[in-house]
Amino acid sequence: MENQQQPASTNNSDEIDLGQLFQMIGNGFKALFKRFLMFFVYLKKNIVILGGLLILGAVIGFALNFIIEKKLMTEVIVKPNFESKDYLYDVVNEVQSNLKSRDTVFFRKIGIAVEHLKGFEVAIEPIQEEEAESNKENDMEYLDLLQNFKDQSFAIDIIKSELFKKTVLNHRLIFKYENAITGPDNLHKILDYLNSNKHFNKLGEVARENIQYRIDQNRELIEQIDELVANYSKGLVESDRKVGENQVYLEKEGGLNVPSLLSLKNKLATEIEEKKLELVTTNEVVNVINIGNSQVVKKQFFKKSVVLIPLLFIGLFFLISAIRYLNKKTLDLNLQ
């Protein structure tokens, strides 16, 4: 009999536990709803104050946008030549330091009045440029082609030039200023100061001479290739003609690879075109690629001040209310 009554008592215990659980859940919802009603009543009592804070914050935000003086910005894209990247960064750091110290002597030397430097700033950042895959393939083909003529002195010189060619990153100079008239003028004077270094100007003269020498050398090589191809064509007609000692051999078999020579000629012509452009782009220590137009700059905070300031006021109001509530509770419990 005792064994038969035990399951029934277990079922009653489970039903009681479930009933208590549902009752606890219901009480929790009631407490949560009560808290929500209390918060609603709190908002209802303070609706005038909260609305006033929102309006006051919005007005102050709009006022700040008009009161805070707007800055102008000009971006200048430059390319440091003759391995002068470190020099470029050093000069920018020098200008930044002198702007902070308001060094009158330094700016007077470069023709800038200190009173015209209010709000003037300068910064620098590299511009990462990914080399196109097609350019990489063309360069590899060019080097592979030159390997066919590795026993010739002219090919060795070109291979060395390609292997030691360094990729130069362009950089962005960011100038910020308040005066729309003196700002751009100061900008150009700082650029002139960048290009006034005697050491790098001397390197530039030598570099341009070397570029011109490479152009002249490539033209001579093209003339030699044309002569080789012409002589080889004539030799095809004369079966008993011997090849001269100064002819270029391919794989040392005495045969002239005309397609390779013509391809090399095209590469040399392309390099001449590139070197002519290089003469133009190396006319200064820091070559100015582009000077952008002036544009208005606002600080990030003041862009959002119309929203942030009202929210700040509301947050402060809730914080003060919470402190007052806690203080009242401590008084009620006699904790002071």
Side-chain angles (χ1 to χ4, degrees):
M1 294 295 292
E2 291 180 356
N3 293 335
Q4 292 177 354
Q5 290 178 353
Q6 186 175 359
S9 63
T10 303
N11 291 336
N12 291 334
S13 177
D14 292 341
E15 290 176 0
I16 291 172
D17 292 340
L18 287 174
Q20 290 177 345
L21 177 61
F22 285 122
Q23 185 178 4
M24 291 174 61
I25 292 174
N27 292 335
F29 278 113
K30 287 180 181 179
L32 182 63
F33 184 67
K34 184 179 179 180
R35 295 290 181 186
F36 174 77
L37 289 178
M38 291 173 64
F39 182 71
F40 175 75
V41 172
Y42 171 78
L43 291 179
K44 186 177 179 181
K45 287 181 179 180
N46 297 282
I47 188 66
V48 176
I49 298 176
L50 292 172
L53 290 174
L54 284 173
I55 294 173
L56 178 63
V59 170
I60 293 176
F62 276 115
L64 283 175
N65 282 330
F66 286 102
I67 292 173
I68 300 299
E69 191 169 359
K70 296 177 182 177
K71 273 196 173 184
L72 299 173
M73 179 178 72
T74 298
E75 294 184 349
V76 181
I77 307 300
V78 299
K79 186 186 80 169
N81 294 315
F82 326 124
E83 299 183 13
S84 62
K85 186 187 74 172
D86 292 338
Y87 162 75
L88 173 62
Y89 277 85
D90 287 343
V91 172
V92 172
N93 290 333
E94 179 187 16
V95 174
Q96 288 174 337
S97 176
N98 288 320
L99 283 171
K100 290 180 181 178
S101 63
R102 310 288 289 179
D103 191 329
T104 306
V105 176
F106 170 79
F107 289 108
R108 187 182 297 160
K109 286 181 179 179
I110 61 178
I112 298 176
V114 176
E115 56 268 20
H116 293 160
L117 290 173
K118 181 182 178 182
F120 195 90
E121 300 176 22
V122 59
I124 184 173
E125 60 183 29
I127 302 176
Q128 298 291 339
E129 294 180 349
E130 294 184 1
E131 187 179 0
E133 194 66 29
S134 59
N135 291 338
K136 293 180 181 179
E137 293 178 358
N138 289 336
D139 291 341
M140 292 304 299
E141 290 177 1
Y142 189 18
L143 293 175
D144 290 340
L145 177 62
L146 290 171
Q147 286 295 327
N148 295 329
F149 308 100
K150 59 185 178 182
D151 294 333
Q152 305 299 316
S153 60
F154 74 85
I156 294 174
D157 291 339
I158 298 176
I159 291 173
K160 287 181 179 180
S161 175
E162 291 298 319
L163 290 177
F164 287 98
K165 186 185 294 181
K166 294 186 178 180
T167 302
V168 180
L169 286 177
N170 292 338
H171 287 73
R172 180 183 288 107
L173 296 177
I174 304 170
F175 295 90
K176 294 181 181 178
Y177 45 88
E178 295 179 1
N179 194 308
I181 298 176
T182 61
D185 184 55
N186 294 340
L187 177 159
H188 284 90
K189 289 178 179 177
I190 290 176
L191 292 178
D192 291 339
Y193 175 67
L194 276 171
N195 287 308
S196 63
N197 186 280
K198 294 181 179 179
H199 170 70
F200 283 106
N201 280 322
K202 186 63 178 178
L203 288 181
E205 293 178 8
V206 176
R208 285 185 286 275
E209 290 176 1
N210 291 339
I211 293 171
Q212 187 60 55
Y213 172 76
R214 175 53 57 83
I215 291 174
D216 297 338
Q217 189 180 47
N218 283 2
R219 285 173 176 165
E220 291 179 4
L221 291 174
I222 290 174
E223 292 177 0
Q224 291 178 20
I225 290 173
D226 289 339
E227 184 178 355
L228 286 172
V229 173
N231 291 337
Y232 183 74
S233 298
K234 293 178 182 178
L236 293 177
V237 181
E238 303 174 7
S239 56
D240 294 333
R241 180 172 178 171
K242 295 183 180 179
V243 180
E245 293 181 355
N246 293 329
Q247 294 288 354
V248 177
Y249 286 83
L250 183 63
E251 297 178 355
K252 299 181 179 180
E253 294 179 0
L256 190 67
N257 192 329
V258 176
S260 294
L261 279 175
L262 294 177
S263 179
L264 177 60
K265 176 184 174 181
N266 291 333
K267 293 291 184 180
L268 291 171
T270 301
E271 188 180 19
I272 289 175
E273 296 172 359
E274 293 173 352
K275 291 297 180 182
K276 286 182 178 179
L277 292 175
E278 194 173 340
L279 275 177
V280 177
T281 58
T282 56
N283 59 337
E284 293 178 321
V285 177
V286 179
N287 192 59
V288 178
I289 298 175
N290 179 63
I291 299 180
N293 296 321
S294 297
Q295 50 186 309
V296 177
V297 178
K298 278 188 178 181
K299 291 184 178 180
Q300 196 68 21
F301 172 78
F302 295 111
K303 289 182 180 180
K304 303 175 181 178
S305 59
V306 177
V307 176
L308 289 178
I309 294 179
L311 292 178
L312 179 62
F313 283 177
I314 296 297
L316 288 174
F317 177 76
F318 284 139
L319 179 62
I320 294 172
S321 298
I323 293 173
R324 291 175 61 185
Y325 175 78
L326 293 174
N327 187 55
K328 182 180 179 182
K329 285 297 183 183
T330 58
L331 292 174
D332 293 341
L333 297 174
N334 294 322
L335 295 177
Q336 287 187 341

